[in-house]
Amino acid sequence: MLNLERLRTLDALARHGSVSGAAEALHVTTSAVSQQLGKLEREVDQQLLARNGRGVRLTDAGRLLAEHAGRILSQVELAQSDLEAHRGQVVGELRLSAFPTAARGLFPAALAALRTRHPALRVRSSELEPESGIAGVVRGDLDLAVVLDWYNKPMPLPDGLVKAPLLDDPADVALPAGHRLAGRDEVDLGEFAEDEWITWGEGEFCHEWLMFTLRSRGVEPIVGHRAAETHTQLNLVAAGLGVCIAPLLGRHPVPEGIVTVPLKQRVRRHVYVVWRADADRRPSIRAAVQALRGAAETIS
């Protein structure tokens, strides 16, 4: 009989590519991972790992068993989901993430509502960028992730995930109060060809969206400063160091010395929550989605 926890360890190694990555995902030591995998090798009487430089790689037998492990663990998740649904109680642990402005704008109300309505549910939350949140759900490190894409740049979702919309988040341009366009009712992105932009980190989904969108309007972006956090961006704008995109979610309070002006293009982010399809029937998943939607309804 194959041991489930050892299969979970093998699955984590296959997903993360290293003993240290598996240990971090499973919240155990690297020694514990090595011990579990050693026991699994003795259990199946085959070599599952081989040395690869300073690390390890899966052998053919290891890859074969890891594929089965992924399917077995998915079935176990489905069985647990069905049992939880049959019991009809919102209990256990729920792990969720959100990108920073959603964590600020949605989590306080949503998590407080969950605590009040379902005191037996233990919720653990973290801030993660959308790509990392989706990867965490796929790996099984997270139960749900609040993520986003843009009106003109969808984010692809891996197979096996379910999503539910939370809100469409309008975005304006934040300008220093003394900016030449600060008094306008609306502006066009093409009018910012000479301005420095304050944007997100290189390679982040929102940064890539901004570069793509500006270039589609005939503007070659001038990037002056980068900051992952919206309020850092806004404070740099207030200091007169550039302009930035300012979505409504998580924007308030806006620092003094800033004007936000709507765009003619009516720029919007689509904010939604994702989870694994095999966990779809869990009452805790449904309760969390309901709480997040309730929090989203208050955003205006």
Side-chain angles (χ1 to χ4, degrees), residues 35-169:
Q35 289 174 17
Q36 288 281 59
L37 292 173
K39 290 177 181 178
L40 184 59
E41 285 187 322
R42 292 191 291 274
E43 193 171 66
V44 300
D45 194 27
Q46 293 196 56
Q47 184 179 358
L48 303 176
L49 301 177
R51 289 286 178 187
N52 185 30
R54 299 180 67 179
V56 296
R57 61 172 176 83
L58 292 174
T59 63
D60 289 345
R63 286 194 296 273
L64 177 65
L65 186 55
E67 290 174 3
H68 283 291
R71 290 192 290 270
I72 290 167
L73 293 169
S74 179
Q75 284 299 115
V76 170
E77 177 77 27
L78 184 59
Q80 291 173 334
S81 177
D82 284 346
L83 284 171
E84 189 177 322
H86 184 266
R87 184 170 54 189
Q89 297 177 341
V90 181
V91 297
E93 182 176 271
L94 194 71
R95 302 154 300 169
L96 67 163
S97 74
F99 57 95
T101 51
R104 185 189 313 116
L106 298 177
F107 271 5
L111 302 189
L114 281 173
R115 174 171 288 186
T116 299
R117 297 170 192 162
H118 310 289
L121 179 67
R122 186 173 64 170
V123 179
R124 297 289 178 263
S125 69
S126 58
E127 280 189 7
L128 289 175
E129 292 299 327
E131 301 96 328
S132 298
I134 289 171
V137 173
V138 170
R139 290 194 304 265
D141 301 339
L142 296 168
D143 298 301
L144 302 106
V146 179
V147 300
L148 65 89
D149 58 22
W150 293 85
Y151 73 105
N152 60 342
K153 193 173 178 64
M155 175 176 283
L157 283 183
D159 292 338
L161 296 189
V162 178
K163 72 175 183 179
L166 295 177
L167 73 153
D168 279 351
D169 186 28

Side-chain angles (χ1 to χ4, degrees), residues 14 37 124 132 140 144 165 177 195 216 225 242 272 274 284:
L37 292 173
R124 297 289 178 263
S132 298
L144 302 106
D195 288 273
S216 72
H225 305 278
Y272 50 96
V274 300
S284 56

